Structures are given as C-alpha cells and as structure tokens.
Amino acid sequence: MSDGTPEQVIEPEQRRSRWAALPPKRFLLVGVIALGALAYLGFVAFRGAAMYYLTVDELRARGDRAFEEQVRLAGKVVDGSAEKDPATNTLRFAMASESGAPLPVVYKGAVPDAFKQGAEVVVDGRLSRSGTFEADKLLVKCPSKYEAEESAAAEGGD
C-alpha cells in the first residue's frame, strides 16, 4: 500500500557506493572485535584442555594445597585393588606411582573397557580431606606396545 509518496528505487551501483562510503575505521573496529572474540574463545578452550597431570607422589608432595583442588592424576592401578559396585555404579581402586604408596580412588560412572589391574590410568578429580581421590573422569592409557595373541596353530607346535 502506497501512501502517495514515490518509493525510492536504489540501483545496484548506488548500493556499492554506500559500502564504499563507509569509513574504513568501522571495518577495522569490527575486525578487531571479531579477532578479540576468537582469541578469547581460543584461550578459554585451551585453558580447559591444558591441564598438567601429576603423579601420586607429586600430589602428596603438595601437602595441604592438594586438598579440594581440581587436578589430573596419573598412575597405575594396584593389582587386586579394584572393586566395582554395580548397584551404585561405583568403582574403588588404588593407584600408585612407580615408587609411592597407593592412593585410594573412588569413581562413579562408566568404566572404560580397557580398565584392568595394573593398567596405567589418568583420573580427573579432587583429593578429599579423608585422603581418598574422588574422580570425575577415568581414562585408561593405551599400551605403547601391542603384541599379537599366540594362535592355536603356534601352540600346537606346527
């Protein structure tokens, strides 16, 4: 519906000239804001993923600073220490460094298939005042050396 005033028709050449008429400082400002936003997002993503992991001995060496701090901890599952409670989906095990005393760990959640006694694991969580590490995440390291299973033919002596 027209109110009687003639509509202004903008030709494509006029549109181009409008963009050309924008001061270059606007583009520079928008570019700086976009780069700043990307840099901030990259920093936040990197900070969350770049957590250094400690050994059990390094965690104990921190003393009181170790309590209630979110850390990533690496070690081996102590043989014979793993107990799983299917009713509560809770896994309790002890992990230790090469030379240190075992540290009790409690984890609630899905257990990776590769988890086994003696496996190297990485857990994210907090050391509670009771001395138990309460894990939020459980990762099992892949063995660095793969060996083929002995086949039945090789066992038969052929």
Side-chain angles (χ1 to χ4, degrees):
M1 306 278 173
S2 176
D3 59 353
T5 58
E7 293 183 24
Q8 183 179 6
V9 178
I10 300 173
E11 298 295 326
E13 292 178 14
Q14 289 178 327
R15 288 184 188 154
R16 278 189 231 129
S17 66
R18 282 186 178 183
W19 283 104
L22 289 176
K25 287 182 181 178
R26 273 191 182 165
F27 290 118
L28 183 63
L29 181 64
V30 170
V32 167
I33 290 172
L35 280 174
L38 286 174
Y40 176 74
L41 290 175
F43 172 74
V44 169
F46 179 75
R47 187 178 62 183
M51 185 188 298
Y52 173 72
Y53 66 77
L54 304 170
T55 64
V56 174
D57 295 336
E58 290 172 336
L59 181 67
R60 286 203 167 110
R62 287 184 162 195
D64 286 342
R65 291 183 308 133
F67 297 115
E68 303 303 329
E69 181 184 356
Q70 184 76 21
V71 294
R72 184 170 288 165
L73 189 64
K76 279 190 169 186
V77 177
V78 176
D79 288 337
S81 66
E83 296 175 12
K84 185 169 183 176
D85 183 3
T88 60
N89 204 18
T90 303
L91 176 67
R92 295 179 186 277
F93 61 96
M95 62 186 291
S97 301
E98 294 293 327
S99 61
L103 176 71
V105 178
V106 175
Y107 170 72
K108 291 183 179 180
V111 178
D113 291 338
F115 182 85
K116 61 183 179 181
Q117 310 288 340
E120 290 189 35
V121 294
V122 176
V123 290
D124 286 356
R126 299 172 190 270
L127 181 63
S128 68
R129 294 274 176 193
S130 66
T132 301
F133 192 85
E134 297 170 352
D136 303 327
K137 291 182 184 174
L138 171 63
L139 304 170
V140 179
K141 287 185 173 181
C142 292
S144 61
K145 181 179 172 185
Y146 290 96
E147 296 178 1
E149 287 186 36
E150 293 183 26
S151 67
E155 292 177 359
D158 291 2

